């Protein structure tokens, strides 16, 4: 392969979400000192030249590359863990990271079945020798504490029955809570917490249809936000977490793998596409 082709392939290997490991092995392992010097000169995305003519990699780029290399590893680890252990560890990690990561706890509490969430709570006992409710009550100091404890404690009804009169009434309650947010945060309102933490998913879906602003983003919207090379790191991590932990729901929603075909790279891309394809094959006709 001629040098210009090497340079183009090297730039392409780092251009998506994840990295193209096979191309990197082929290029770097077969490159001599002069080749690598030319790479540093030609890869302006990765290297900058200072006033002394020294080509160096910016620290922020090094950090980003490390994140891209570990993306495949993180996806594999999440996939291999027992679902209960996986969710327990995700909750504990989000709790430790603080307020900006509480959305992970909400995501798990609201997307798992009652038995799956109960299983995660049991796993949390075994892994961390405390209940998840106890840790949340101890470590979360803000107004989110009551809602988070209520969400992870829930054992929701999972049948199809929905009372339309109650749905309309509770949509109005949520509407008022949001309208009065300048006086009191909705997540501090006892009725709001009761609705979000105890009602069944069909019930909440019906409430959402009556007041469509109750939720910010759907699963597919979260993925679309993360499927950008320029997206923030938390959105990209959410792509891995949501696909690995909720691929069945994504396939049911009709989330098309071609949305990620062109943006993911390397083993990470193969793993993610393979996970979705396997779920698609198992979907009932």
């Amino acid at each position: 392969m001629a040098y210009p082709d090497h340079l183009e392939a090297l730039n392409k290997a780092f251009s998506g979400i994840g990295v193209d490991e096979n191309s990197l092995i082929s290029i770097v392992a077969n490159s001599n000192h002069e080749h690598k010097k030319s790479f540093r000169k030609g890869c302006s995305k990765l290297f900058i030249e200072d006033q002394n003519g020294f080509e160096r990699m910016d620290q922020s780029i090094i950090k980003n590359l490390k994140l891209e290399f570990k993306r495949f590893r993180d996806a594999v680890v999440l996939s291999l863990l027992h679902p209960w252990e996986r969710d327990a560890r995700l909750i504990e990690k989000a709790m430790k990271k603080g307020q900006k990561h509480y959305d992970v706890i909400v995501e798990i509490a609201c997307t798992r079945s009652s038995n799956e969430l109960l299983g995660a709570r049991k796993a949390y006992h075994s892994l961390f020798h405390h209940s998840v409710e106890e840790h949340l009550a101890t470590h979360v100091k803000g107004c989110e504490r009551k809602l988070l404890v209520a969400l992870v404690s829930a054992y929701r009804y999972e049948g199809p029955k929905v009372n339309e009169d109650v749905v309309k009434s509770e949509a109005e309650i949520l509407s008022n809570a949001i309208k009065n947010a300048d006086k009191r945060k909705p997540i501090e309102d006892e009725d709001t917490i009761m609705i979000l933490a105890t009602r069944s998913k069909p019930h909440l879906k019906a409430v959402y249809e009556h007041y469509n602003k109750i939720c910010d983003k759907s699963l597919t919207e979260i993925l679309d936000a993360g499927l950008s090379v320029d997206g923030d790191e938390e959105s990209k991590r959410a792509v891995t977490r949501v696909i690995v932990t909720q691929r069945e729901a994504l396939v049911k929603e009709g989330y098309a793998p071609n949305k990620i075909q062109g943006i993911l790279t390397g083993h990470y891309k193969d793993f993610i596409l393979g996970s979705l394809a396997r779920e698609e094959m198992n979907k009932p006709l």
Side-chain angles (χ1 to χ4, degrees):
M1 188 186 290
Y3 161 69
D5 293 330
H6 274 79
L7 185 56
E8 181 181 352
L10 191 64
N11 276 311
K12 187 176 180 180
F14 290 117
S15 63
I17 298 177
V19 292
D20 186 347
E21 293 89 349
N22 290 335
S23 291
L24 289 175
I25 291 170
S26 174
I27 296 166
V28 178
N30 294 296
S31 299
N32 58 32
H33 176 73
E34 290 302 316
H35 280 144
K36 292 173 183 175
K37 183 177 179 180
S38 297
F39 293 157
R40 290 192 292 271
K41 289 278 190 184
C43 289
S44 57
K45 285 175 59 177
L46 302 178
F47 296 93
I48 56 175
E49 187 174 314
D50 64 19
Q51 58 187 5
N52 298 316
F54 176 65
E55 305 97 11
R56 61 181 178 84
M57 189 176 285
D58 187 78
Q59 188 62 35
S60 63
I61 295 175
I62 294 175
K63 181 180 178 181
N64 287 337
L65 285 179
K66 286 180 178 179
L67 289 172
E68 295 303 332
F69 274 107
K70 73 187 284 286
R71 212 172 293 286
F72 169 62
R73 183 200 69 186
D74 290 348
V76 171
V77 171
L78 279 179
S79 184
L80 288 175
L81 292 175
H82 188 288
W84 296 357
E85 178 184 0
R86 178 193 65 210
D87 286 345
R89 291 191 181 279
L90 285 170
I91 290 171
E92 195 265 348
K93 186 176 181 180
M95 199 186 313
K96 279 187 172 180
K97 283 188 169 185
Q99 189 177 32
K100 290 183 179 180
H101 301 268
Y102 292 162
D103 60 321
V104 176
I105 302 173
V106 174
E107 176 190 306
I108 291 170
C110 294
T111 59
R112 305 314 190 246
S113 70
S114 295
N115 283 332
E116 288 169 343
L117 184 57
L118 180 61
R121 290 162 62 193
K122 290 179 178 179
Y124 201 97
H125 288 186
S126 297
L127 293 168
F128 306 113
H129 311 295
H130 291 274
S131 71
V132 64
E133 299 93 330
E134 179 186 359
H135 268 179
L136 282 169
T138 302
H139 297 297
V140 178
K141 304 299 182 184
C143 59
E144 304 91 350
R145 177 163 57 187
K146 280 187 179 181
L147 177 61
L148 291 176
V149 171
L151 286 174
V152 300
S153 304
Y155 194 86
R156 301 175 191 269
Y157 165 68
E158 294 187 337
K161 292 185 178 180
V162 173
N163 186 313
E164 286 297 323
D165 291 334
V166 176
V167 164
K168 292 176 182 178
S169 172
E170 293 184 346
E172 187 64 33
I173 290 172
L174 291 174
S175 174
N176 290 334
I178 293 171
K179 286 177 183 176
N180 295 319
D182 56 332
K183 300 175 183 176
R184 186 183 189 185
K185 293 181 179 179
I187 60 172
E188 294 178 324
D189 180 76
E190 295 292 338
D191 289 335
T192 299
I193 292 173
M194 181 277 293
I195 294 167
L196 297 180
T198 67
R199 296 307 191 196
S200 70
K201 292 174 185 176
H203 180 96
L204 288 175
K205 183 177 179 181
V207 171
Y208 172 74
E209 289 170 354
H210 280 281
Y211 185 50
N212 60 19
K213 292 182 180 178
I214 192 173
C215 296
D216 290 329
K217 295 179 180 179
S218 68
L219 278 177
T220 53
E221 287 172 328
I222 291 171
L223 282 174
D224 290 341
L227 287 171
S228 167
V229 176
D230 299 323
D232 64 88
E233 182 55 29
E234 290 309 315
S235 295
K236 291 179 181 178
R237 284 187 182 136
V239 172
T240 301
R241 186 179 67 250
V242 171
I243 290 178
V244 171
T245 66
Q246 299 179 59
R247 59 177 181 261
E248 182 179 353
L250 288 170
V251 169
K252 284 181 179 177
E253 284 190 17
Y255 192 79
N258 61 12
K259 285 192 175 184
I260 58 178
Q261 178 78 36
I263 193 67
L264 304 187
T265 306
H267 296 326
Y268 176 67
K269 172 183 177 179
D270 295 340
F271 181 82
I272 294 297
L273 288 178
S275 297
L276 288 173
R278 185 169 62 253
E279 197 62 49
E280 183 70 35
M281 289 175 62
N282 294 331
K283 186 173 68 172
L285 297 175

